[in-house]
Amino acid sequence: NAGVTQTPKFQVLKTGQSMTLQCAQDMNHEYMSWYRQDPGMGLRLIHYSVGAGITDQGEVPNGYNVSRSTTEDFPLRLLSAAPSQTSVYFCASSLDGGNTIYFGEGSWLTVV
Amino acid sequence: AQRVTQPEKLLSVFKGAPVELKCNYSYSGSPELFWYVQYSRQRLQLLLRHISRESIKGFTADLNKGETSFHLKKPFAQEEDSAMYYCAPEGANAGGTSYGKLTFGQGTILTVHP
């Protein structure tokens, strides 16, 4: 059971570099989302998608870009990395609204 | 604005003692309410949801609409309950259709001592 798979697990970036965090799910879930987890802040929603071709902003979208060309994949792009984006990133998916949300294992990103 | 408050960052109890993790929310409409848990070296996972009225691993959560609270309780804590716990309402529109996105509290780290 793959569930929600995130890559890479660890990444160090220099300020100004760009990168993409990959997320894939094999459960045919319509809803996918990205969260970041910071100490004392809980998890905050970055972007989410309710189906292929549909994305919307969450609570902290600045500096991030997403697309949803397929049901399975929901990559998160950092356009120009900043130290403030040092965090743990979680991808999540659910069948639809109101259902259990399944999380990936997390991606640890450090921006120096 | 939608807000979730978990007032305790850290909570320590001894094995066998009762435990209550507090959650207060400020949310428009009637959100669906969840508790998620993250054990050491494991991914975040659902513990329980209000609509199911279930008890998972001995935990229950009662919704108090008047106080807008959804506290998580267990009468006898076990060492394996040590984890980070998140309260998370899920928003819905006026028609009751869920947006499928959670708002998380800051989390409470529960430590159960032997």
Side-chain angles (χ1 to χ4, degrees):
Chain A
N1 288 347
V4 180
T5 304
Q6 289 180 234
T7 57
K9 192 155 187 174
F10 300 98
Q11 182 72 50
V12 178
L13 284 180
K14 292 184 178 177
T15 298
Q17 285 185 317
S18 62
M19 77 156 297
T20 299
L21 296 175
Q22 302 290 345
C23 176
Q25 52 88 12
D26 61 358
M27 298 174 281
N28 203 29
H29 285 174
E30 288 294 327
Y31 284 42
M32 295 187 75
S33 50
W34 277 102
Y35 293 84
R36 59 177 288 174
Q37 182 183 41
D38 301 291
M41 308 283 287
L43 278 82
R44 292 180 292 169
L45 182 66
I46 305 171
H47 285 284
Y48 68 104
S49 168
V50 298
I54 306 169
T55 64
D56 206 347
Q57 295 181 350
E59 183 184 353
V60 288
N62 292 342
Y64 307 95
N65 211 349
V66 292
S67 60
R68 185 94 181 271
S69 54
T70 66
T71 299
E72 294 77 21
D73 301 298
F74 191 46
L76 178 73
R77 279 180 283 277
L78 278 73
L79 308 172
S80 176
S84 60
Q85 293 179 304
T86 294
S87 187
V88 184
Y89 291 85
F90 289 95
C91 180
S93 75
S94 64
L95 187 61
D96 54 25
N99 272 294
T100 301
I101 293 180
Y102 295 87
F103 286 85
E105 292 183 303
S107 296
W108 275 254
L109 176 67
T110 301
V111 183
V112 298
Chain B
Q2 299 154 348
R3 295 188 67 170
V4 182
T5 303
Q6 292 179 247
E8 303 124 337
K9 270 190 182 178
L10 303 169
L11 186 60
S12 288
V13 300
F14 285 100
K15 178 182 172 181
V19 62
E20 181 179 55
L21 291 85
K22 292 185 168 55
C23 171
N24 294 93
Y25 64 92
S26 172
Y27 229 84
S28 58
S30 297
E32 178 58 58
L33 290 149
F34 299 84
W35 277 95
Y36 278 80
V37 61
Q38 189 173 26
Y39 300 102
S40 178
R41 297 191 180 88
Q42 294 186 29
R43 62 182 75 193
L44 202 65
Q45 58 187 285
L46 176 69
L47 179 63
L48 59 79
R49 53 189 298 187
H50 168 251
I51 196 170
S52 303
R53 297 286 198 274
E54 57 201 345
S55 173
I56 303 294
K57 299 185 179 182
F59 284 97
T60 59
D62 292 324
L63 173 62
N64 186 322
K65 287 189 176 180
E67 295 180 358
T68 57
S69 67
F70 190 53
H71 302 329
L72 184 69
K73 300 176 184 179
K74 185 168 182 177
F76 307 103
Q78 303 298 316
E79 290 178 68
E80 56 265 30
D81 296 328
S82 296
M84 169 78 92
Y85 291 81
Y86 290 101
C87 177
E90 182 177 6
N93 62 21
T97 300
S98 173
Y99 294 133
K101 51 176 182 165
L102 301 174
T103 300
F104 284 85
Q106 300 91 330
T108 297
I109 299 174
L110 172 66
T111 302
V112 181
H113 299 285

